[in-house]
Amino acid sequence: MKTTYTEIAQLLENIDVSLYAKNRNFIDGSVTKLSPYISRGILSTKEVFFSLSKKNISPKKIEKFIQELAWRDYWQIVWKNKNINLDIKRKQEDVKNIGTPKSIIQASTGINVIDNAISDLYNTGYVHNHIRMYIASIICNIGKCHWKAPAKWFYFHLMDGDWGSNALSWQWVCGTNSSKKYIANQDNINKFCYDNQKNTFLDKSYADLYKCLIPKELEKVSSLSLKTKLPLNNNVSIDQKKPIMIYNYYNLDPNWRKELNANRVLLLEPSTFQEYPISENVFNFFIKLSKNIKNIKIVVSEYKEFYKKFENCTIYYKEHPLNNYYNGICDKRDWLFTNQNYYPSFFKFWNASKKELNI
């Protein structure tokens, strides 16, 4: 996976979303794979949209792709306004287990597409968005597990892990953040993943799946202990005559206040990684991406402790739901729309905002 800003900028320049609306749900569809860089704050949704605008593409022709950018911003707005670690709109129905099915963790469900996707998740940190929905549906709606533990397992391995998008998407699938549960059967998986498998526990009608008992393949559940190993907190030299720019897991923007002569600190808060752990592979990818920021210094500390040492310095940070307790000067993130009001549904947000794009 690309990690230098030059390579990432080239990926952005080369994206083609002309067929996105038509084939995005197929496993080989025209997706951009820019998600890891948007999640880490190297690219913004607004920057991706402007890149397409420079190609004189009518927003109407790529409305579905712009909607997907808007979904990302919408999840962040929801995260700012709601406790997304709880069932957000209604309790998840018919929960029988807390944990994640062992067959999912071991990539041994017997459903070829799903097992291959989980193996890919472990190896590459990537899973096609449609298959993410399949996996969440199997765990929550067929296996009847509460969404939060498996959502954390998934986030742990994702290179593009964004807890807002991840948690709220899982809640959308299981019906706590939507009007009904999302369920896909084997025929649906075969269609979009070019498979022809039969006789699995999903090889049933939708009516039967909605009322089925937990299949034997999903009965055994594990509670995982997910941990992130942070580096030792070596003493880092900070020039207190200069301002301090705070970067973190959600902000690695190499162009942020680029001309400012400042200390540039990548702050790793142990409490954040304890609450939202990531795997060693994901952590290493994250650290490689941070090298795009010249003279970046890694500090392992809680923000409050760091602030006590440097409260006499000018400190800058970027807006994010996990930063709402930071002290200092908060720079707004590059939102796609000027409208950042909370709406109870995405399409209310979309309809109120899309007029800015002349759609």
Side-chain angles (χ1 to χ4, degrees), residues 163-230:
W163 184 245
S165 295
N166 192 59
L168 290 166
S169 294
W170 278 72
Q171 292 211 47
W172 184 89
V173 167
C174 75
T176 64
N177 187 32
S178 57
S179 59
K180 64 178 182 179
K181 296 180 179 183
Y182 168 83
I183 286 181
N185 65 10
Q186 188 67 53
D187 284 345
N188 186 289
I189 293 174
N190 288 347
K191 174 183 175 181
F192 289 103
C193 301
Y194 308 113
D195 203 6
N196 57 7
Q197 191 175 12
K198 300 292 183 183
N199 301 317
T200 70
F201 60 81
L202 289 182
D203 195 11
K204 299 178 180 179
S205 69
Y206 284 108
D208 286 341
L209 284 176
Y210 272 105
K211 62 185 180 182
C212 73
L213 299 175
I214 299 174
K216 67 179 188 316
E217 292 90 342
L218 303 177
E219 286 178 344
K220 294 181 180 179
V221 172
S222 288
S223 296
L224 298 173
S225 177
L226 305 173
K227 295 181 180 178
T228 301
K229 185 178 180 180
L230 297 177

Side-chain angles (χ1 to χ4, degrees), residues 62-72 346-347 350:
I62 57 170
E63 182 174 353
K64 181 54 69 174
F65 179 75
I66 298 171
Q67 269 190 7
E68 292 305 309
L69 294 176
W71 269 106
R72 282 184 162 273
F346 168 77
F347 284 102
W350 173 253

Side-chain angles (χ1 to χ4, degrees), residues 30-83:
S30 300
V31 297
T32 67
K33 295 192 178 179
L34 292 176
S35 186
Y37 313 113
I38 298 174
S39 295
R40 299 287 69 76
I42 292 178
L43 300 175
S44 68
T45 53
K46 187 175 183 179
E47 190 176 356
V48 175
F49 173 72
F50 278 163
S51 177
L52 293 168
S53 299
K54 287 188 292 185
K55 298 178 181 180
N56 296 316
I57 301 172
S58 166
K60 189 67 178 176
K61 289 185 177 180
I62 57 170
E63 182 174 353
K64 181 54 69 174
F65 179 75
I66 298 171
Q67 269 190 7
E68 292 305 309
L69 294 176
W71 269 106
R72 282 184 162 273
D73 279 9
Y74 176 68
W75 290 145
Q76 298 302 309
I77 292 169
V78 175
W79 194 1
K80 283 175 62 178
N81 287 274
K82 301 288 183 179
N83 183 352

Side-chain angles (χ1 to χ4, degrees), residues 11-26:
L11 286 175
L12 177 60
E13 177 66 24
N14 292 341
I15 62 171
D16 178 3
V17 296
S18 58
L19 296 176
Y20 181 82
K22 183 178 180 180
N23 66 18
R24 69 192 179 97
N25 285 333
F26 288 87

